[in-house]
Amino acid sequence: MNGPEIHVEVAPELHLFVPQARRLGATAVPTDGVSTLGHVVESLGVPLTEVGALVVNGREVPASHIPAAGERVDVRTIARPQKVTGAPLRFLLDVHLGTLARRLRLLGVDTAYESTDIGDPALAARSAAEQRVMLSRDRGLLRRRELFAGAFVYSTRPDDQLRDVLGRFHPELRPWTRCTACNGLLRDATKEELADRLEHGTRRSYDVFAQCAECGRAYWKGAHHDQLEAIVERALTEFADRG
């Protein structure tokens, strides 16, 4: 049996998470007198990772607040830039965000990535163990309580995904310092050191190289460098001075 009702209004930026009927103005939501406000908000479809503040009758309350009959609740979005406390800013991405992971690494952002589907419990456990912000489009994953921190990736387009993450968290950008394949740090390397890893045409055409200290992969300014340079320049122009 439904209990007393509260009136919940969700910020426009969060409307994509809630049914159409609940998007215009405050909507009546039944409560049971026991469940927390955080649980009520998540039952509407909004991950708490996307909630910046819960304001009840003009007063900010924690997600553990137990709603009372007649309360009016404003569900607000995250303030940007979002600060992550408790650990250096670093990320973990699920199997669906490989391009975003490579671009964050290209910019020197510490980014772990699971290239296979290891399941939500394992991802959440890794987020907690390594104190990484979980980036995903999976709302169920973002609702797992054991996450260190999390954020929903709003777009399906890599360009927009990158801008969203950089705009939300303002990580320090150090382009060309991480391996895009494994996230290891790069070091300068000589042609002679890499001789057994390079094809003859590459040895003949290039003189400046780097190598991943973790996986040993070699890097040079090859055929796709201009495309990568454009990604780096756009990110630096828009976000480098905002940290």
Side-chain angles (χ1 to χ4, degrees), residues 16-35:
L16 79 159
F17 296 113
V18 300
Q20 184 74 33
R22 298 182 184 273
R23 295 179 181 180
L24 298 177
T27 185
V29 178
T31 64
D32 58 13
V34 177
S35 297

Side-chain angles (χ1 to χ4, degrees), residues 154-199:
Y154 285 81
S155 177
T156 59
R157 298 181 65 253
D159 286 348
D160 294 335
Q161 290 174 346
L162 183 62
R163 292 189 72 256
D164 183 33
V165 172
L166 297 182
R168 177 166 175 168
F169 291 100
H170 291 187
E172 181 183 3
L173 303 184
R174 301 179 64 241
W176 317 109
T177 61
R178 287 190 178 272
C179 176
T180 57
C182 81
N183 195 46
L185 293 174
L186 301 183
R187 65 173 185 85
D188 293 336
T190 65
K191 185 183 299 188
E192 290 71 26
E193 288 179 279
L194 302 175
D196 61 342
R197 294 175 176 267
L198 304 176
E199 296 182 359

Side-chain angles (χ1 to χ4, degrees), residues 5-238:
E5 290 184 341
I6 61 175
H7 303 278
V8 180
E9 185 166 359
V10 177
E13 296 89 344
L14 303 177
H15 280 179
L16 79 159
F17 296 113
V18 300
Q20 184 74 33
R22 298 182 184 273
R23 295 179 181 180
L24 298 177
T27 185
V29 178
T31 64
D32 58 13
V34 177
S35 297
T36 66
L37 183 55
H39 176 81
V40 173
V41 170
E42 286 192 324
S43 73
L44 296 176
V46 183
L48 290 183
T49 59
E50 307 312 295
V51 176
L54 295 168
V55 179
V56 174
N57 296 340
R59 176 176 60 91
E60 186 171 344
V61 301
S64 59
H65 172 78
I66 305 298
E71 287 184 338
R72 300 190 68 85
V73 181
D74 290 322
V75 181
R76 299 179 179 175
T77 191
I78 291 286
R80 298 189 176 208
Q82 180 179 351
K83 301 300 181 184
V84 177
T85 59
L89 180 61
R90 49 198 171 201
F91 298 103
L92 170 62
L93 279 63
D94 67 21
V95 66
H96 303 291
L97 298 175
T99 299
L100 176 60
R102 289 188 291 273
R103 291 188 179 190
L104 286 169
R105 290 170 175 175
L106 174 67
L107 295 171
V109 179
D110 189 343
T111 305
Y113 166 65
E114 291 291 349
S115 60
T116 59
D117 188 356
I118 64 174
D120 290 0
L123 283 169
R126 184 175 182 185
S127 167
E130 299 180 11
Q131 296 184 308
R132 292 180 178 273
V133 179
M134 184 78 238
L135 300 182
S136 178
R137 287 181 51 78
D138 182 343
R139 304 180 198 182
L141 171 57
L142 294 177
R143 291 180 62 174
R144 298 193 71 91
R145 293 291 181 259
E146 62 268 39
L147 286 175
F148 168 69
F152 185 77
V153 177
Y154 285 81
S155 177
T156 59
R157 298 181 65 253
D159 286 348
D160 294 335
Q161 290 174 346
L162 183 62
R163 292 189 72 256
D164 183 33
V165 172
L166 297 182
R168 177 166 175 168
F169 291 100
H170 291 187
E172 181 183 3
L173 303 184
R174 301 179 64 241
W176 317 109
T177 61
R178 287 190 178 272
C179 176
T180 57
C182 81
N183 195 46
L185 293 174
L186 301 183
R187 65 173 185 85
D188 293 336
T190 65
K191 185 183 299 188
E192 290 71 26
E193 288 179 279
L194 302 175
D196 61 342
R197 294 175 176 267
L198 304 176
E199 296 182 359
H200 177 70
T202 301
R203 293 198 302 271
R204 184 180 65 250
S205 303
Y206 300 96
D207 296 306
V208 179
F209 296 91
Q211 185 177 31
C212 176
E214 295 293 328
C215 72
R217 180 171 178 170
Y219 287 86
W220 61 92
K221 294 182 179 181
H224 300 293
H225 182 76
D226 287 347
Q227 298 174 28
L228 300 178
E229 184 72 44
I231 293 171
V232 169
E233 288 304 315
R234 284 197 301 268
L236 291 177
T237 297
E238 189 165 0

